[in-house]
Structure formats: structure tokens, C-alpha cells
Amino acid sequence: MEMSSAEKYRTSCAALGITPNSFIVQRLEEELLYIKATKLQPEEWKPVIKCLEKNSMLLEVIVEAIIPPQSTFVKGTTSPSFTLAVKNQLIKSLASCLKCSSVIKKLSIVCVPLKKTQLEYLSHGLSRNHSIEFLCLKGSVSGPQGFNEIFPAVRKSLNLTHVDFSLCKLSGESCSLIGALLRSQTLERHTQTWKHTLRYNNPDISTANGLKRITLNGNPIGDDGCEIITTALQDDYWIKGLDLQQCDITNEGAKMFLMMLEDNASISVLDLRLNAKITDDKLLNKVNELLERNRQLNTEHFDNGDLFVKAKKAVRTKKAPRRSISNINLRNSLNESRTHKKMTLHENYYNSVLKKSVAKNIEHMNDMSQKSDKDKFSPILIHHLPPKTRGSSTKCNEERQMFAMLDELKDDLEVYKKELYLEKEKTKNLEKKLNSLERENMFLKSQHHEQSRELEPELLETIETSFSQFHNFLDMLKQAGYGDLCQLMNK
């Protein structure tokens, strides 16, 4: 059986003859490694790194260098003992811990400026981990270049539910990566749930994995970043919270979020505090009203930065009919406005999804229905008609057309899925070719470097012989009585 983290740390300290740090030991008893880089002495780093390396027992890791003021960015001031070599060893050990651990849930690296190579190690460890749910890189990633290194691992990791990129100097243009992250996660989760929509099933979209909260406090994203984020969230049904304090957002950015919340019923937390340029109180009140509406509709809530599921009280209420994911996507693509009026079961069913799609093909379907026997209907289609509508022949005809159109759309979905699979295969083949070309390039570079090393001794010998022959020529001139000429040549 593997030793606990506390025992492993004590053993490492005893091997080096160092007294264990009481602050670290106390938290390791709960499988939490809390490293305050400014408090550790140079000799205390080795047992900490040894304890972290390939540790599969830790539940949470926190590395904290300095806590900056809320209104300023990190300038990279760290402890003298926390050198670049120590930082490299720490990140490598952390990456090995992520690769082998299946229980670690939280990772926080606060105000530790990470270089490109260190971010590559961390990204590789995150891509191999399937248990971490919370990732905080507050003040540790600088600008879009650093975020580009960590972006692929975060995009592919569906086990992450909350990421914190506060104080990372992300501008409005950098938010294109955030938008790509949101769209990629939305696509992955649609892929997870699409099969549950077949045969008129109602999938539970809350069970899909992926991000549910994003924190971007202290990043000057401005209104440009708001436009990118709100556009990406139009078709998202899983993101529950956004933290955007001190993001240089104006009234225009707040209006974008208001328009997005009118169609998005999943976001229940939107933190726009400390944005001094938002001066319209009425606008904020409307945003808060929509957020309160979403909180009442959703069962998932946030409390003190943590996500938990809050059970609803057992109240007898008349529930609205649930719609499948495919119907929701169709409704969004048709840009059908939502209404909050009370409708009958048939009106709600008819006006929600396929009204406009049927209108485009109604003439063709009418021609087909005139040719067929009016008294003979498909028993399967009648079975799937909405309740309280079978008595009306005209309504039945419309519903029959709708279900036929829905079957056609699902056939198209199968075709598009096959095309997507073929595109993925082509992308994989191109990536393989790219990797082989990169390896060939590296090989050619190494050969060129070796050949240049082999030529260096021969070149030096040639230069030395040339100088010796030149000096012999000067000596011959001196012996022949041309000493003055030799002095001029030396000058």
C-alpha cells in the first residue's frame, strides 16, 4: 500500500536531515499540499518536490508565491529561494503527479509567473489527467502567448468544471481563445447528448461533463471581449457562472449580456462588480432580474466559489414539457423568439420548434397528402401526436407533416455525423504528416550541427598553416634586406 503524503514528506525530510515544516505537515494530513513559496527556505524545497513527485494520494495542490492587490497585475516578484531551477523542478513534479493521480480534484497556482516550457509541462500533465475539476492559474499566465500553451489541455479536458484565469492580462482580442474554448466544449457536450434525442427521448443535459464556471477577474477584456463571449454562449446550455470583475466593461458590454440572458436560461451567476464604466442602474437591475429567473429554473447553484447541487422542494407544480437537444438547436437556428405567455399543451408543442421549418415545405407536403388516401394515416405517426389534438383533422395533418419533417432532419443529422467523422480522420492524417515532417526537420538540423562541428578542426588547421606560411615569407624578406618593408606590413 502506498504511503500517505504526510508520511512521504516526513521520510524525505528525515533522509535529508531537515525538520519537517509544521504548516505543510498539518495540511498533508488532509491530503492537501499547500506551498507558500515566500515562506520556504532553500533547503526545504527538496522534500516538498520529492513528496509531490508521482504522488497519487493528493486531493488538492496549492502553490502560492505572492498575493497581489485586486486592482494591479502580477509583476513576478517572488522569494529569493524560489529560483528558476526550483520552479522547473516543482512544475515537473506537479506534471508527474497529474499523470499518475486519479483522485486529485483541485489545482491552484497563484501568482507564480510561468514560462513557456513550464506551461508545456503543466499542459502535458493536465491532458493526461481525468479527475481534476478546478484549475486556478491566477496571475500565473501572462497574455495570449502563455494562454496559447495551456489552451489545448483545457479545451480537451471535459472533467474540468471551473477555471480561474484572473489577472492573466487577457485583452479583448485574447477572448477569441475563450470563445473557441466555449464553442469547443459546447460541441463536445452536444455530441455526448445527441444520441439521447433519438426516437423523441428527453435527455438530461445536466449530466454532461465540461466547464460550468469561468472566472476572468482583472483582465481588461472590454466590450470586444464581451461580444465574443456572449456570441459563444448563445447556443450553450451548460455554463452556469461568469466572473468578470474589473474587466473594463461599459454599458455596451452590459447590454450584450442582457440580450444574451434573454435567450440563455442556464447562467445563474454573472458578476459585473467593480466595472466603473457601467453606470446604468436600470440595465443592471434588468440583468439581475433575468439571473434571478434563471436561478429559479435551474437546480445548480454556486456558493463561495464552489459548485453544488441544491435539491428542489417537493412542491406540486405543473411542469412544462421538456424539449430535446435537437429541438432546442433547431429553435435557436430559426431565431424563434421566446414567449412567456401561458399556452395550451398543443400550442406550446406546435409553436416551439418546427413551425418555420414546416412552413417552408408545406406546399410539397400538401401535394403528397392529396395523392395519398385521406382516410389512411400511419399508426406510428398518430401514436406520437401531442395529446388533446387527435380530434381535429386539420391539426392532425399539420402534426403528421411536422413529424415527417423531423424524421428527415434526423436523417440529415446522421449524414452530417458521418461527414464529421471523415473530416476528423483527415485531420488525424494531416497531424501525422505534420509530426513526421517535424521529426525529419529535427533530424536534418542535428545532422547539420554535427557536420559543422566536424568541419571546425579542419578549418582551424587551415588558418594556422596560412599564418605560419605568411610569417615564413616575412622572415625571408628580412633576410633578403627588406626589413623596412616588413615593418610597414606589420603596421
Side-chain angles (χ1 to χ4, degrees), residues 115-333:
K115 296 185 179 294
K116 181 180 178 180
T117 54
Q118 296 162 354
L119 287 170
E120 288 176 354
Y121 282 121
L122 183 61
S123 178
H124 186 61
L126 287 171
S127 62
R128 299 283 295 275
N129 184 273
H130 301 288
S131 63
I132 190 166
E133 297 176 356
F134 173 72
L135 175 65
C136 174
L137 295 177
K138 182 178 180 181
S140 300
V141 180
S142 180
Q145 294 180 350
F147 190 72
N148 269 325
E149 300 297 330
I150 203 71
F151 172 73
V154 177
R155 179 172 59 88
K156 295 179 181 178
S157 180
L158 290 178
N159 47 284
L160 280 172
T161 59
H162 184 187
V163 292
D164 185 351
F165 294 113
S166 300
L167 301 175
C168 289
K169 301 181 182 178
L170 299 177
S171 61
E173 297 178 356
S174 305
C175 278
S176 59
L177 295 174
I178 301 294
L181 172 63
L182 292 171
R183 287 190 295 272
S184 175
Q185 292 257 327
T186 301
L187 179 61
E188 289 290 338
R189 288 186 277 204
H190 275 302
T191 304
Q192 288 182 18
T193 55
W194 78 270
K195 59 182 180 180
H196 299 292
T197 65
L198 299 178
R199 307 308 302 171
Y200 316 110
N201 292 328
N202 294 324
D204 186 5
I205 62 176
S206 63
T207 59
N209 299 326
L211 285 175
K212 295 186 179 179
R213 186 168 189 169
I214 299 178
T215 302
L216 299 173
N217 295 332
N219 291 299
I221 63 174
D223 295 338
D224 295 336
C226 292
E227 183 178 1
I228 295 172
I229 292 174
T230 53
T231 303
L233 290 175
Q234 287 292 336
D235 297 328
D236 189 274
Y237 299 92
W238 293 272
I239 297 293
K240 304 295 181 183
L242 283 172
D243 299 299
L244 299 171
Q245 295 185 27
Q246 276 190 317
C247 290
D248 200 23
I249 301 174
T250 66
N251 290 330
E252 293 298 323
K255 288 179 182 178
M256 295 177 192
F257 281 109
L258 178 63
M259 295 174 63
M260 182 267 295
L261 287 171
E262 289 176 352
D263 295 328
N264 189 309
S266 62
I267 294 179
S268 39
V269 173
L270 178 61
D271 193 352
L272 297 176
R273 293 176 295 174
L274 303 180
N275 287 290
K277 295 182 181 179
I278 301 179
T279 57
D280 193 344
D281 293 336
K282 293 182 179 179
L283 183 61
L284 291 177
N285 290 335
K286 291 180 181 179
V287 171
N288 291 329
E289 289 175 1
L290 293 176
L291 291 173
E292 185 62 29
R293 178 205 67 185
N294 292 351
R295 291 190 192 101
Q296 294 176 0
L297 294 175
N298 297 329
T299 58
E300 293 181 348
H301 298 271
F302 296 102
D303 184 31
N304 295 328
D306 295 330
L307 178 68
F308 67 96
V309 178
K310 183 177 180 181
K312 286 186 176 180
K313 295 181 180 180
V315 181
R316 293 184 179 178
T317 56
K318 188 176 181 180
K319 296 183 179 179
R322 298 175 63 183
R323 301 188 181 104
S324 64
I325 293 296
S326 60
N327 292 354
I328 291 173
N329 292 337
L330 288 171
R331 185 188 65 224
N332 286 336
S333 64

Side-chain angles (χ1 to χ4, degrees), residues 24 30 32 141 250 388 462:
I24 293 177
E30 302 174 357
L32 164 63
V141 180
T250 66
K388 300 182 182 179
T462 305

Side-chain angles (χ1 to χ4, degrees), residues 392-407:
S392 175
S393 60
T394 57
K395 292 182 179 179
C396 288
N397 188 24
E398 291 175 354
E399 295 299 333
R400 184 169 63 84
Q401 294 169 1
M402 278 198 298
F403 281 110
M405 191 64 193
L406 183 60
D407 290 335

